[in-house]
Amino acid sequence: DQQVKQNSPSLSVQEGRISILNCDYTNSMFDYFLWYKKYPAEGPTFLISISSIKDKNEDGRFTVFLNKSAKHLSLHIVPSQPGDSAVYFCAASGNTGKLIFGQGTTLQVKP
Amino acid sequence: SAVISQKPSRDICQRGTSLTIQCQVDSQVTMMFWYRQQPGQSLTLIATANQGSEATYESGFVIDKFPISRPNLTFSTLTVSNMSPEDSSIYLCSVRRDIATNEKLFFGSGTQLSVL
């Protein structure tokens, strides 16, 4: 039972354009959502998060949008840079504090 | 942030053997976790390493297969026992500094395990 799903295994965008990574969840008890970025041979690093009381959180080039009614969140990166090429994981947590991760989306930003 | 040292970074092991992975944190942390990432899959929580007591395992993971130690607030080990090729994965140590449920996790660099 995959509670957090990233249905696109890969995404390719041109440098300077917007990257949009999507994530869906099924558990309505989730109240906190995070995005992690992972480079090869490194552990995931925290990127940005959002609480369920908000619908948007912005940090520089990165913005996360949350649509609770659709149980959907997305990460926007604009403008995209070649250094953004990595695997992006969506994660969600509820009152247990445990993080449930999606399968990841590999983003490739072409120069 | 927390600096997490995990070793070995990678290993190739024979079927039936065991491997112990170490995780060292540069400061005391309340919670330490072990995750597994199988090829093409998401990060799956194996267990919570509890200081001074037995680890708390998630569904599908058992102590005999993945014994965990946590002797203090900065160190933990995960052993993958009696390995089979299905255990080939990336194993990740992660920490949370305090008990707040929404605090983000910090991750080690991972151990890439291949079982022949």
Side-chain angles (χ1 to χ4, degrees):
Chain A
D1 177 28
Q2 190 73 28
Q3 296 187 68
V4 179
K5 297 180 183 180
Q6 293 175 256
N7 291 317
S8 297
S10 63
L11 175 68
S12 181
V13 300
Q14 208 66 35
E15 181 179 7
R17 300 292 186 108
I18 185 171
S19 296
I20 300 176
L21 296 98
N22 294 303
C23 178
D24 297 294
Y25 61 96
T26 58
N27 190 338
S28 58
M29 298 303 292
F30 288 146
D31 60 4
Y32 197 68
F33 305 89
L34 307 90
W35 285 93
Y36 281 82
K37 180 168 75 172
K38 185 179 184 301
Y39 292 116
E42 295 183 14
T45 56
F46 171 76
L47 192 58
I48 192 170
S49 64
I50 188 168
S51 165
S52 61
I53 62 174
K54 294 185 175 183
D55 55 18
K56 177 183 175 181
N57 188 27
E58 190 173 353
D59 183 2
R61 296 185 298 115
F62 303 92
T63 303
V64 57
F65 294 92
L66 175 63
N67 182 333
K68 288 189 293 293
S69 61
K71 294 190 178 66
H72 177 84
L73 66 156
S74 60
L75 173 68
H76 292 210
I77 306 173
V78 56
S80 302
Q81 300 173 354
D84 296 329
S85 298
V87 179
Y88 289 79
F89 289 96
C90 166
S93 73
N95 56 8
T96 66
K98 295 176 186 175
L99 285 189
I100 308 297
F101 286 86
Q103 308 96 310
T105 297
T106 300
L107 173 65
Q108 182 184 28
V109 180
K110 297 180 179 179
Chain B
S1 63
V3 177
I4 304 169
S5 301
Q6 189 175 333
K7 58 181 180 182
S9 58
R10 59 176 57 241
D11 208 341
I12 301 173
C13 300
Q14 295 296 321
R15 181 195 298 261
T17 62
S18 297
L19 175 71
T20 295
I21 302 167
Q22 298 181 4
C23 178
Q24 178 74 54
V25 191
D26 67 339
S27 58
Q28 292 185 349
V29 294
T30 303
M31 305 186 78
M32 296 181 77
F33 306 90
W34 287 97
Y35 280 82
R36 178 176 76 179
Q37 185 190 7
Q38 293 177 301
Q41 304 294 316
S42 63
L43 284 75
T44 302
L45 180 62
I46 297 172
T48 302
N50 300 309
Q51 195 264 326
S53 64
E54 195 172 282
T56 304
Y57 290 84
E58 297 299 307
S59 175
F61 297 96
V62 295
I63 187 172
D64 290 345
K65 177 66 177 177
F66 297 102
I68 289 170
S69 78
R70 189 175 174 195
N72 55 54
L73 293 176
T74 65
F75 185 78
S76 177
T77 67
L78 168 75
T79 299
V80 186
S81 303
N82 188 25
M83 289 184 283
S84 66
E86 291 72 34
D87 294 319
S88 298
S89 293
I90 299 173
Y91 291 85
L92 294 148
C93 169
S94 68
V95 306
R96 175 176 284 141
R97 284 191 175 279
D98 63 45
I99 205 72
T101 57
N102 288 335
E103 201 206 39
K104 58 185 178 286
L105 292 182
F106 298 97
F107 284 88
S109 55
T111 297
Q112 175 76 62
L113 171 61
S114 299
V115 184
L116 305 178

